Amino acid sequence: MTHDISKVSVSLESHIHYRAGQYVSIQSSDTDIPARCYSFAQSNTPGGNQLVSFFVRGVTGGRMSNWLIDPLNVNSKVTLSAANGDFYLRDQSAPVLCVAGGSGLAPIIALIEEAIQNNSAIVDQPLTLLMGVRSQRDIYYQDQINSLGTQWRNEFRFTPVLSDEPVASNWLGHRGFVTNYIDQKTSLGATGYLCGPPPMIDAAMIKMQENGMDLNRIFFDKFLDQSGIKP
Ligand SMILES: Cc1cc2nc3c(=O)[nH]c(=O)nc-3n(C[C@H](O)[C@H](O)[C@H](O)COP(=O)(O)OP(=O)(O)OC[C@H]3O[C@@H](n4cnc5c(N)ncnc54)[C@H](O)[C@@H]3O)c2cc1C
């Protein structure tokens, strides 16, 4: 999908049941690479899904992510854990403010898809999706997001924000940190859903609270990896 994010699909022996926003741990069957967590990038259907997809970013020096996105490993066997996590759509009667960083878009897409698929009351609320990436080449899934937007019954605002786009480029959209675009208009009475790198989530939570959002109405999944481990 981009130079460092791939959509990885897994065909399962039996149907898996999960809530949009949840994740599984994926283990390669043929290597000793430690299992890692990945969030479903699509909603679940009523009977469960037999084909599931993930947005995986190849992390520099990362073992599992680069194994998963390596074309040489297509058709390799993997084992998935049961679905985990409590990142799912809550309040049906409040505006929605989503902030996604990089591959953190995956569970946000699943949440939006699920709401539309279930014809949930939340589709009648305004939704803002702020997507933080480095540069134009990191933007992905735009057509699919626009298509979801046409199915959302209330206002659907999708704003990509580029943090590292060359000053002289042709980009006319938003620049800077995605968290700078969390304001009173998007936060007023909203429930927040954040997913991506831990520093982005920490900054977004501060910004949301500064704009009057309750901490207990902000839900998040931090895409933690091993780089924070102290030797
Ligand atoms: C709930 C959850 C959901 C997630 N969902 C997604 C998702 O949908 N998509 C996605 O792309 N990612 C997701 N992640 C992140 C994912 O689980 C992995 O952490 C990521 O893919 C990196 O794994 P890796 O094995 O490639 O890298 P690792 O081998 O874990 O390495 C990651 C980084 O840490 C460094 N490192 C490794 N070991 C050490 C050490 N001992 N000390 C210091 N540094 C070290 C490596 O050099 C590298 O830079 C999620 C994480 C969580 C917790």
Side-chain angles (χ1 to χ4, degrees), residues 198-218:
M200 183 209 81
I201 291 181
D202 292 340
M205 287 177 74
I206 292 170
K207 220 46 205 291
M208 285 178 165
Q209 287 175 87
E210 282 173 3
N211 282 288
M213 287 177 70
D214 265 355
L215 196 53
N216 62 9
R217 295 187 55 183
I218 305 172

Side-chain angles (χ1 to χ4, degrees), residues 112-187:
I112 296 171
E113 268 188 24
E114 182 182 86
I116 293 170
Q117 182 182 298
N118 293 349
N119 200 16
S120 304
I122 205 165
V123 181
D124 290 315
Q125 296 293 329
L127 180 146
T128 303
L129 168 54
L130 302 175
M131 179 183 182
V133 293
R134 291 210 166 116
S135 57
Q136 287 193 64
R137 69 177 187 152
D138 299 306
I139 298 175
Y140 66 102
Y141 232 58
Q142 219 169 349
D143 291 347
Q144 292 89 336
I145 293 170
N146 290 335
S147 161
L148 291 171
T150 62
Q151 299 168 69
W152 199 261
R153 288 191 292 267
N154 202 318
E155 188 185 3
F156 185 101
R157 292 199 300 158
F158 168 52
T159 308
V161 182
L162 310 186
S163 62
D164 212 9
E165 177 71 4
V167 180
S169 84
N170 61 354
W171 176 250
L172 299 174
H174 298 279
R175 292 170 182 262
F177 288 127
V178 65
T179 47
N180 292 343
Y181 294 86
I182 297 170
D183 56 17
Q184 290 218 318
K185 186 181 176 213
T186 50
S187 304

Side-chain angles (χ1 to χ4, degrees), residues 3 44 50 81 118 144 147-148 166 195 212 231:
H3 64 106
N44 205 334
Q50 209 163 359
S81 69
N118 293 349
Q144 292 89 336
S147 161
L148 291 171
C195 199

Side-chain angles (χ1 to χ4, degrees), residues 36-39 55 57 60 62 64-65 223 225-227:
R36 299 283 183 235
C37 300
Y38 296 94
S39 303
F55 297 162
R57 186 172 77 84
T60 308
M64 188 59 178
S65 58
F223 279 8
D225 68 22
Q226 305 299 301
S227 56

Side-chain angles (χ1 to χ4, degrees), residues 15 24-26 32 49 59 76 103 139 142 152 171 181 183 205:
H15 291 79
V24 281
S25 169
I26 304 183
D32 63 351
N49 288 1
V59 174
S76 295
S103 56
I139 298 175
Q142 219 169 349
W152 199 261
W171 176 250
Y181 294 86
D183 56 17
M205 287 177 74

